[in-house]
Short mmCIF file of all heavy atoms in Angstrom, two decimals:
data_model
loop_
_atom_site.label_atom_id
_atom_site.label_comp_id
_atom_site.label_asym_id
_atom_site.label_seq_id
_atom_site.Cartn_x
_atom_site.Cartn_y
_atom_site.Cartn_z
N SER A 51 -63.36 -35.86 26.08
CA SER A 51 -62.89 -35.65 27.44
C SER A 51 -62.46 -36.96 28.08
O SER A 51 -61.41 -37.05 28.73
CB SER A 51 -64.00 -35.00 28.28
OG SER A 51 -63.63 -34.92 29.64
N LEU A 52 -63.25 -38.01 27.88
CA LEU A 52 -62.92 -39.31 28.44
C LEU A 52 -61.59 -39.83 27.89
O LEU A 52 -60.73 -40.30 28.65
CB LEU A 52 -64.04 -40.31 28.14
CG LEU A 52 -63.81 -41.75 28.60
CD1 LEU A 52 -63.66 -41.82 30.11
CD2 LEU A 52 -64.95 -42.66 28.13
N GLU A 53 -61.40 -39.73 26.58
CA GLU A 53 -60.16 -40.19 25.99
C GLU A 53 -58.97 -39.38 26.48
O GLU A 53 -57.89 -39.94 26.71
CB GLU A 53 -60.24 -40.11 24.46
CG GLU A 53 -61.11 -41.19 23.85
CD GLU A 53 -60.97 -41.26 22.35
OE1 GLU A 53 -59.99 -40.69 21.81
OE2 GLU A 53 -61.84 -41.87 21.70
N THR A 54 -59.15 -38.08 26.66
CA THR A 54 -58.06 -37.23 27.15
C THR A 54 -57.64 -37.66 28.55
O THR A 54 -56.44 -37.76 28.86
CB THR A 54 -58.50 -35.76 27.16
OG1 THR A 54 -58.80 -35.35 25.81
CG2 THR A 54 -57.40 -34.86 27.72
N ILE A 55 -58.62 -37.93 29.40
CA ILE A 55 -58.33 -38.34 30.78
C ILE A 55 -57.63 -39.70 30.80
O ILE A 55 -56.64 -39.90 31.52
CB ILE A 55 -59.63 -38.38 31.60
CG1 ILE A 55 -60.16 -36.95 31.80
CG2 ILE A 55 -59.41 -39.07 32.95
CD1 ILE A 55 -61.57 -36.89 32.35
N LEU A 56 -58.12 -40.64 30.01
CA LEU A 56 -57.52 -41.98 29.99
C LEU A 56 -56.12 -41.94 29.39
O LEU A 56 -55.22 -42.65 29.86
CB LEU A 56 -58.42 -42.94 29.22
CG LEU A 56 -59.74 -43.30 29.88
CD1 LEU A 56 -60.59 -44.17 28.95
CD2 LEU A 56 -59.52 -44.02 31.21
N ALA A 57 -55.92 -41.12 28.36
CA ALA A 57 -54.58 -41.01 27.76
C ALA A 57 -53.59 -40.41 28.75
O ALA A 57 -52.44 -40.86 28.85
CB ALA A 57 -54.65 -40.18 26.48
N ALA A 58 -54.04 -39.39 29.48
CA ALA A 58 -53.16 -38.76 30.47
C ALA A 58 -52.80 -39.76 31.57
O ALA A 58 -51.64 -39.83 32.01
CB ALA A 58 -53.84 -37.53 31.07
N ARG A 59 -53.77 -40.54 32.02
CA ARG A 59 -53.48 -41.55 33.05
C ARG A 59 -52.52 -42.60 32.50
O ARG A 59 -51.58 -43.01 33.20
CB ARG A 59 -54.80 -42.19 33.50
CG ARG A 59 -54.63 -43.42 34.41
CD ARG A 59 -53.94 -43.11 35.73
NE ARG A 59 -54.75 -42.26 36.57
CZ ARG A 59 -55.62 -42.71 37.49
NH1 ARG A 59 -55.75 -44.01 37.68
NH2 ARG A 59 -56.30 -41.87 38.24
N ALA A 60 -52.77 -43.06 31.28
CA ALA A 60 -51.91 -44.09 30.70
C ALA A 60 -50.46 -43.61 30.58
O ALA A 60 -49.52 -44.32 30.96
CB ALA A 60 -52.45 -44.51 29.33
N GLU A 61 -50.29 -42.40 30.06
CA GLU A 61 -48.94 -41.88 29.89
C GLU A 61 -48.25 -41.64 31.22
O GLU A 61 -47.05 -41.87 31.37
CB GLU A 61 -48.98 -40.60 29.05
CG GLU A 61 -49.34 -40.87 27.59
CD GLU A 61 -49.47 -39.60 26.77
OE1 GLU A 61 -49.90 -38.57 27.35
OE2 GLU A 61 -49.16 -39.63 25.56
N ALA A 62 -49.01 -41.19 32.21
CA ALA A 62 -48.44 -40.98 33.54
C ALA A 62 -47.98 -42.30 34.16
O ALA A 62 -47.05 -42.32 34.97
CB ALA A 62 -49.46 -40.29 34.45
N MET A 63 -48.64 -43.39 33.78
CA MET A 63 -48.28 -44.70 34.31
C MET A 63 -47.15 -45.36 33.53
O MET A 63 -46.67 -46.43 33.91
CB MET A 63 -49.51 -45.62 34.29
CG MET A 63 -50.64 -45.17 35.20
SD MET A 63 -52.09 -46.25 35.08
CE MET A 63 -51.49 -47.73 35.91
N GLY A 64 -46.74 -44.74 32.41
CA GLY A 64 -45.63 -45.29 31.65
C GLY A 64 -46.03 -46.04 30.39
O GLY A 64 -45.19 -46.70 29.77
N VAL A 65 -47.29 -45.92 29.97
CA VAL A 65 -47.70 -46.52 28.71
C VAL A 65 -47.13 -45.70 27.56
O VAL A 65 -47.16 -44.47 27.58
CB VAL A 65 -49.25 -46.55 28.61
CG1 VAL A 65 -49.69 -47.02 27.22
CG2 VAL A 65 -49.83 -47.45 29.69
N GLU A 66 -46.62 -46.36 26.55
CA GLU A 66 -46.16 -45.68 25.33
C GLU A 66 -47.30 -45.65 24.32
O GLU A 66 -47.92 -46.68 24.05
CB GLU A 66 -44.94 -46.40 24.74
CG GLU A 66 -43.70 -46.33 25.61
CD GLU A 66 -42.51 -46.98 24.94
OE1 GLU A 66 -42.36 -46.79 23.71
OE2 GLU A 66 -41.74 -47.68 25.62
N ILE A 67 -47.59 -44.48 23.80
CA ILE A 67 -48.65 -44.32 22.81
C ILE A 67 -48.04 -43.78 21.53
O ILE A 67 -47.46 -42.68 21.52
CB ILE A 67 -49.76 -43.37 23.32
CG1 ILE A 67 -50.33 -43.87 24.64
CG2 ILE A 67 -50.86 -43.23 22.27
CD1 ILE A 67 -51.36 -42.93 25.26
N SER A 68 -48.13 -44.53 20.45
CA SER A 68 -47.61 -44.11 19.15
C SER A 68 -48.78 -43.82 18.23
O SER A 68 -49.51 -44.74 17.81
CB SER A 68 -46.72 -45.21 18.54
OG SER A 68 -45.55 -45.38 19.30
N ARG A 69 -48.99 -42.54 17.94
CA ARG A 69 -50.10 -42.13 17.07
C ARG A 69 -49.63 -42.04 15.62
O ARG A 69 -48.48 -41.71 15.35
CB ARG A 69 -50.68 -40.81 17.55
CG ARG A 69 -51.17 -40.87 19.00
CD ARG A 69 -51.99 -39.66 19.39
NE ARG A 69 -52.40 -39.71 20.79
CZ ARG A 69 -53.46 -40.38 21.24
NH1 ARG A 69 -54.21 -41.04 20.37
NH2 ARG A 69 -53.76 -40.39 22.51
N GLY A 70 -50.55 -42.32 14.71
CA GLY A 70 -50.19 -42.37 13.30
C GLY A 70 -49.62 -43.72 12.91
O GLY A 70 -48.98 -43.83 11.86
N PHE A 71 -49.84 -44.74 13.74
CA PHE A 71 -49.31 -46.08 13.48
C PHE A 71 -50.46 -47.09 13.54
O PHE A 71 -50.64 -47.78 14.53
CB PHE A 71 -48.22 -46.46 14.50
CG PHE A 71 -46.92 -45.74 14.31
CD1 PHE A 71 -46.74 -44.49 14.89
CD2 PHE A 71 -45.91 -46.28 13.55
CE1 PHE A 71 -45.54 -43.80 14.72
CE2 PHE A 71 -44.71 -45.60 13.38
CZ PHE A 71 -44.52 -44.36 13.96
N GLY A 72 -51.24 -47.13 12.47
CA GLY A 72 -52.31 -48.11 12.38
C GLY A 72 -51.76 -49.48 12.02
O GLY A 72 -50.87 -49.61 11.16
N VAL A 73 -52.26 -50.51 12.68
CA VAL A 73 -51.79 -51.87 12.41
C VAL A 73 -52.18 -52.27 10.99
O VAL A 73 -53.33 -52.11 10.57
CB VAL A 73 -52.38 -52.87 13.43
CG1 VAL A 73 -52.08 -54.31 13.02
CG2 VAL A 73 -51.82 -52.59 14.81
N GLU A 74 -51.21 -52.78 10.25
CA GLU A 74 -51.43 -53.20 8.87
C GLU A 74 -51.46 -54.72 8.74
O GLU A 74 -52.23 -55.27 7.95
CB GLU A 74 -50.33 -52.62 7.98
CG GLU A 74 -50.30 -51.09 7.99
CD GLU A 74 -48.96 -50.52 7.59
OE1 GLU A 74 -48.05 -51.31 7.26
OE2 GLU A 74 -48.79 -49.28 7.62
N SER A 75 -50.62 -55.39 9.50
CA SER A 75 -50.57 -56.86 9.47
C SER A 75 -49.78 -57.33 10.69
O SER A 75 -49.16 -56.52 11.39
CB SER A 75 -49.90 -57.36 8.19
OG SER A 75 -48.55 -56.92 8.13
N PHE A 76 -49.81 -58.63 10.93
CA PHE A 76 -49.00 -59.18 12.02
C PHE A 76 -48.77 -60.66 11.79
O PHE A 76 -49.48 -61.32 11.02
CB PHE A 76 -49.68 -58.96 13.38
CG PHE A 76 -50.95 -59.73 13.60
CD1 PHE A 76 -50.94 -61.04 14.05
CD2 PHE A 76 -52.18 -59.13 13.36
CE1 PHE A 76 -52.11 -61.75 14.24
CE2 PHE A 76 -53.36 -59.82 13.55
CZ PHE A 76 -53.33 -61.15 13.99
N GLU A 77 -47.76 -61.16 12.47
CA GLU A 77 -47.47 -62.59 12.49
C GLU A 77 -47.26 -63.00 13.93
O GLU A 77 -46.65 -62.27 14.71
CB GLU A 77 -46.20 -62.91 11.67
CG GLU A 77 -46.34 -62.63 10.19
CD GLU A 77 -45.06 -62.97 9.43
OE1 GLU A 77 -44.07 -63.37 10.10
OE2 GLU A 77 -45.05 -62.84 8.19
N GLN A 78 -47.78 -64.17 14.28
CA GLN A 78 -47.58 -64.65 15.64
C GLN A 78 -46.90 -66.01 15.64
O GLN A 78 -47.03 -66.79 14.69
CB GLN A 78 -48.89 -64.71 16.41
CG GLN A 78 -49.89 -65.74 15.97
CD GLN A 78 -50.99 -65.95 17.02
OE1 GLN A 78 -50.71 -66.15 18.21
NE2 GLN A 78 -52.24 -65.88 16.58
N SER A 79 -46.18 -66.26 16.72
CA SER A 79 -45.51 -67.54 16.92
C SER A 79 -45.77 -67.98 18.35
O SER A 79 -46.50 -67.33 19.09
CB SER A 79 -44.00 -67.39 16.69
OG SER A 79 -43.43 -66.54 17.68
N ASP A 80 -45.15 -69.07 18.76
CA ASP A 80 -45.32 -69.54 20.13
C ASP A 80 -44.71 -68.57 21.13
O ASP A 80 -45.07 -68.57 22.31
CB ASP A 80 -44.66 -70.92 20.31
CG ASP A 80 -45.40 -72.00 19.53
OD1 ASP A 80 -46.59 -71.78 19.20
OD2 ASP A 80 -44.79 -73.05 19.27
N GLU A 81 -43.77 -67.73 20.67
CA GLU A 81 -43.06 -66.83 21.58
C GLU A 81 -43.64 -65.42 21.61
O GLU A 81 -43.45 -64.69 22.58
CB GLU A 81 -41.58 -66.74 21.20
CG GLU A 81 -40.78 -68.00 21.50
CD GLU A 81 -41.08 -69.13 20.53
OE1 GLU A 81 -41.31 -68.83 19.34
OE2 GLU A 81 -41.13 -70.30 20.97
N GLY A 82 -44.30 -64.99 20.53
CA GLY A 82 -44.76 -63.62 20.53
C GLY A 82 -45.44 -63.23 19.23
O GLY A 82 -45.78 -64.07 18.40
N VAL A 83 -45.58 -61.91 19.06
CA VAL A 83 -46.28 -61.35 17.90
C VAL A 83 -45.43 -60.24 17.31
O VAL A 83 -44.90 -59.40 18.04
CB VAL A 83 -47.66 -60.79 18.31
CG1 VAL A 83 -48.43 -60.33 17.07
CG2 VAL A 83 -48.47 -61.81 19.09
N SER A 84 -45.32 -60.25 15.99
CA SER A 84 -44.61 -59.20 15.27
C SER A 84 -45.64 -58.41 14.47
O SER A 84 -46.36 -58.98 13.64
CB SER A 84 -43.56 -59.81 14.33
OG SER A 84 -42.90 -58.81 13.60
N VAL A 85 -45.71 -57.09 14.71
CA VAL A 85 -46.75 -56.25 14.12
C VAL A 85 -46.15 -55.23 13.19
O VAL A 85 -45.18 -54.53 13.54
CB VAL A 85 -47.55 -55.53 15.24
CG1 VAL A 85 -48.55 -54.55 14.63
CG2 VAL A 85 -48.26 -56.54 16.12
N CYS A 86 -46.73 -55.11 11.99
CA CYS A 86 -46.35 -54.06 11.05
C CYS A 86 -47.35 -52.93 11.17
O CYS A 86 -48.56 -53.14 10.97
CB CYS A 86 -46.32 -54.60 9.63
SG CYS A 86 -45.86 -53.36 8.38
N ALA A 87 -46.87 -51.74 11.49
CA ALA A 87 -47.76 -50.58 11.66
C ALA A 87 -47.01 -49.33 11.24
O ALA A 87 -45.89 -49.08 11.68
CB ALA A 87 -48.21 -50.45 13.12
N GLY A 88 -47.63 -48.53 10.37
CA GLY A 88 -47.02 -47.29 9.92
C GLY A 88 -45.68 -47.49 9.26
O GLY A 88 -44.80 -46.62 9.36
N GLY A 89 -45.50 -48.62 8.60
CA GLY A 89 -44.24 -48.89 7.91
C GLY A 89 -43.12 -49.37 8.81
O GLY A 89 -41.99 -49.56 8.35
N GLU A 90 -43.41 -49.57 10.08
CA GLU A 90 -42.39 -50.06 11.02
C GLU A 90 -42.85 -51.39 11.62
O GLU A 90 -44.03 -51.76 11.53
CB GLU A 90 -42.15 -49.03 12.13
CG GLU A 90 -41.60 -47.71 11.62
CD GLU A 90 -41.23 -46.77 12.77
OE1 GLU A 90 -40.95 -47.27 13.87
OE2 GLU A 90 -41.26 -45.54 12.55
N THR A 91 -41.93 -52.07 12.26
CA THR A 91 -42.23 -53.37 12.89
C THR A 91 -42.08 -53.25 14.40
O THR A 91 -41.08 -52.70 14.90
CB THR A 91 -41.28 -54.46 12.36
OG1 THR A 91 -41.46 -54.60 10.95
CG2 THR A 91 -41.59 -55.80 13.03
N PHE A 92 -43.06 -53.75 15.10
CA PHE A 92 -43.06 -53.73 16.57
C PHE A 92 -43.28 -55.16 17.07
O PHE A 92 -44.01 -55.94 16.45
CB PHE A 92 -44.18 -52.83 17.10
CG PHE A 92 -44.11 -51.42 16.60
CD1 PHE A 92 -44.75 -51.06 15.42
CD2 PHE A 92 -43.39 -50.45 17.29
CE1 PHE A 92 -44.69 -49.75 14.95
CE2 PHE A 92 -43.32 -49.15 16.83
CZ PHE A 92 -43.97 -48.80 15.66
N ARG A 93 -42.62 -55.49 18.19
CA ARG A 93 -42.70 -56.84 18.72
C ARG A 93 -43.22 -56.85 20.15
O ARG A 93 -42.88 -55.97 20.94
CB ARG A 93 -41.34 -57.52 18.64
CG ARG A 93 -40.87 -57.78 17.21
CD ARG A 93 -39.50 -58.43 17.16
NE ARG A 93 -39.15 -58.82 15.79
CZ ARG A 93 -38.67 -57.99 14.87
NH1 ARG A 93 -38.43 -56.71 15.21
NH2 ARG A 93 -38.41 -58.41 13.66
N GLY A 94 -44.02 -57.84 20.41
CA GLY A 94 -44.56 -58.00 21.75
C GLY A 94 -44.86 -59.46 22.02
O GLY A 94 -44.91 -60.30 21.10
N HIS A 95 -45.06 -59.78 23.27
CA HIS A 95 -45.41 -61.16 23.62
C HIS A 95 -46.89 -61.43 23.33
O HIS A 95 -47.27 -62.58 23.04
CB HIS A 95 -45.10 -61.42 25.09
CG HIS A 95 -43.63 -61.36 25.41
ND1 HIS A 95 -42.72 -62.24 24.89
CD2 HIS A 95 -42.93 -60.51 26.21
CE1 HIS A 95 -41.51 -61.95 25.34
NE2 HIS A 95 -41.60 -60.89 26.14
N TRP A 96 -47.71 -60.39 23.41
CA TRP A 96 -49.15 -60.53 23.16
C TRP A 96 -49.63 -59.32 22.38
O TRP A 96 -49.05 -58.24 22.45
CB TRP A 96 -49.93 -60.61 24.48
CG TRP A 96 -49.64 -61.86 25.26
CD1 TRP A 96 -48.56 -62.10 26.05
CD2 TRP A 96 -50.44 -63.04 25.30
NE1 TRP A 96 -48.63 -63.36 26.58
CE2 TRP A 96 -49.78 -63.97 26.15
CE3 TRP A 96 -51.65 -63.42 24.71
CZ2 TRP A 96 -50.30 -65.23 26.42
CZ3 TRP A 96 -52.17 -64.68 24.99
CH2 TRP A 96 -51.50 -65.58 25.83
N LEU A 97 -50.73 -59.50 21.65
CA LEU A 97 -51.37 -58.42 20.90
C LEU A 97 -52.86 -58.43 21.24
O LEU A 97 -53.50 -59.49 21.20
CB LEU A 97 -51.19 -58.63 19.40
CG LEU A 97 -52.02 -57.72 18.46
CD1 LEU A 97 -51.61 -56.26 18.62
CD2 LEU A 97 -51.86 -58.18 17.00
N VAL A 98 -53.39 -57.26 21.55
CA VAL A 98 -54.83 -57.12 21.80
C VAL A 98 -55.40 -56.13 20.79
O VAL A 98 -54.96 -54.98 20.71
CB VAL A 98 -55.13 -56.64 23.23
CG1 VAL A 98 -56.65 -56.61 23.46
CG2 VAL A 98 -54.46 -57.53 24.27
#
């Protein structure tokens, strides 16, 4: 129930949630982080 409520709030606020995409590896530089997940690559300035 808690996860359902938090997911609904996150999506209503504009958070993108990609399920079935577990992080496999990543590389970071001074500018950002490149993450490999579910066979695809995603880029961000920070990774948590």
Side-chain angles (χ1 to χ4, degrees):
S51 173
L52 177 62
E53 286 191 16
T54 298
I55 291 168
L56 291 175
R59 171 62 67 92
E61 290 176 327
M63 295 178 72
V65 173
E66 294 184 40
I67 303 175
S68 293
R69 302 192 182 277
F71 287 86
V73 171
E74 299 158 3
S75 63
F76 68 84
E77 295 180 357
Q78 68 165 310
S79 66
D80 292 340
E81 289 73 36
V83 185
S84 178
V85 174
C86 179
E90 298 186 25
T91 299
F92 303 90
R93 293 179 173 81
H95 294 296
W96 293 80
L97 169 65
V98 184

